[in-house]
Amino acid sequence: MAATNMSLVPLCVDFSSPEDYFLFIFHVLAGLGTVLLAGSVVCGISHTRALRRQHRFIFMLNTSISDTCTGCGSFYQFLFDVREDFPSKNGTYYIIPSFLGVNIMTFLFAQFDRYFAICHPFFYARFISTKVVVCVNVYSWLHVFSQLFIQHMVPLSKAVDIAVFSRISLSFIIFIKMSMTVKLLVVARYQLMREPPGPERDSKRESLLIIIVVVVAFLFFWGPNIVYIIVSSLTGKQMRVKNDASDLTKILSRMNALCTPTLYLWASPSLRASVWKTVWSKICCCRTNRGLVWGEQTKN
């Protein structure tokens, strides 16, 4: 019987210095935190009917699903010797980075949703239904992964052209997001001041706050990576790193998946209450009950 040769992917560091231990532990904690926070947001929204009926929480659900996938994928991309750039090394065919692309598309659609909800409420109430919002979120997944599928099916020269087109599209989307954020700040402030105080006004203000804060955080974490992409495309020079675990631009962009669900929970009291009731209260109560049972057994 012929022997089977299996080559295991090495870890991202060789643990020859204290910095290696710090980097490895950092990626473990960042990935675990992303999965726990984003996963709890997914559970909280999907198990609460009142939240699922609101369009802004559908967008939050979509980004949280992609953030959870990013967190799970980071255990491979950032803990092992992996580099997704060209030429790839132990890569995932750009599947893991594509989850961040779903986030970008979803944020863009969410901004348009809030713009029409605040600036054109009659048009929004008539044409933008829950089914439309769900279809838009599904389209963000189909758009990103169908483009990825085509990129891997065509010859290398065409794949390079698609990659260049994707980078140009990313820059264009970033410009639209910045313009929409400024537009929402100016218009929404005027519109909300005209509305009487009430639950509807508070809901619009909360959703607007979430969108703006999340977009600002997105630009902060993605800014260095975007600048690097533009500079490398213009100059043809790329920064050589050992793997993605030591690439600061990719570490920052990955941290966006941890920051986004954190901001959701910070800005939305209703989401915090749902996540606590659905996930964390059951975990804490389970631990408390186990502790009480263990204490009674030791007394007896």
Side-chain angles (χ1 to χ4, degrees), residues 211-230:
I211 289 296
I212 293 175
V213 172
V214 167
V215 170
V216 171
F218 167 83
L219 294 175
F220 173 78
F221 287 110
W222 272 85
N225 196 15
I226 294 170
V227 172
Y228 168 72
I229 290 174
I230 295 175

Side-chain angles (χ1 to χ4, degrees), residues 28-273:
V28 170
L29 294 179
L32 185 61
T34 302
V35 172
L36 290 177
L37 285 175
S40 62
V41 171
V42 172
C43 294
I45 296 177
S46 59
H47 287 81
T48 306
R49 185 177 182 182
L51 298 184
R52 295 198 309 268
R53 297 175 63 182
Q54 301 182 46
H55 296 174
R56 58 195 177 103
F57 286 106
I58 297 177
F59 287 107
M60 292 184 197
L61 176 62
N62 197 47
T63 58
S64 298
I65 292 174
S66 63
D67 287 338
T68 305
C69 295
T70 300
C72 293
S74 66
F75 288 113
Y76 175 74
Q77 182 181 1
F78 291 93
L79 295 185
F80 294 91
D81 189 22
V82 176
R83 186 175 63 241
E84 290 286 359
D85 286 335
F86 183 83
S88 178
K89 179 172 67 172
N90 301 321
T92 62
Y93 299 99
Y94 297 97
I95 293 177
I96 295 177
S98 296
F99 293 125
L100 297 174
V102 175
N103 256 355
I104 296 174
M105 297 289 295
T106 306
F107 287 150
L108 180 64
F109 292 140
Q111 284 183 290
F112 281 109
D113 176 83
R114 289 301 89 196
Y115 174 78
F116 286 111
I118 294 175
C119 301
H120 305 282
F122 296 105
F123 171 85
Y124 185 84
R126 183 175 181 181
F127 294 101
I128 309 300
S129 62
T130 302
K131 185 180 294 185
V132 172
V133 174
V134 172
C135 290
V136 165
N137 282 275
V138 173
Y139 170 77
S140 64
W141 289 84
L142 294 177
H143 176 86
V144 172
F145 283 96
S146 61
Q147 184 173 327
L148 180 65
F149 176 77
I150 294 173
Q151 186 174 350
H152 289 301
M153 295 299 295
V154 298
L156 181 60
S157 58
K158 296 295 183 181
V160 172
D161 294 337
I162 295 175
V164 173
F165 174 76
S166 299
R167 292 185 175 185
I168 296 175
S169 301
L170 176 62
S171 302
F172 183 67
I173 290 174
I174 297 303
F175 176 76
I176 294 177
K177 288 169 70 67
M178 294 176 62
S179 303
M180 286 295 298
T181 302
V182 175
K183 182 71 173 179
L184 283 172
L185 277 172
V186 175
V187 176
R189 181 181 179 183
Y190 174 74
Q191 291 287 347
L192 291 177
M193 289 178 62
R194 295 177 56 187
E195 293 188 6
E200 185 176 355
R201 178 184 175 182
D202 295 338
S203 176
K204 288 182 178 180
R205 178 179 296 176
E206 178 184 310
S207 61
L208 183 64
L209 174 64
I210 292 174
I211 289 296
I212 293 175
V213 172
V214 167
V215 170
V216 171
F218 167 83
L219 294 175
F220 173 78
F221 287 110
W222 272 85
N225 196 15
I226 294 170
V227 172
Y228 168 72
I229 290 174
I230 295 175
V231 172
S232 62
S233 299
L234 295 176
T235 61
K237 298 180 179 179
Q238 294 184 349
M239 178 178 60
R240 302 303 298 174
V241 294
K242 180 182 177 182
N243 47 46
D244 290 345
S246 56
D247 190 340
L248 293 178
T249 60
K250 291 189 176 181
I251 293 175
L252 279 176
S253 61
R254 194 277 303 270
M255 292 302 295
N256 183 74
L258 175 61
C259 178
T260 300
T262 304
L263 292 175
Y264 287 162
L265 294 171
W266 166 76
S268 178
S270 57
L271 179 60
R272 286 199 304 270

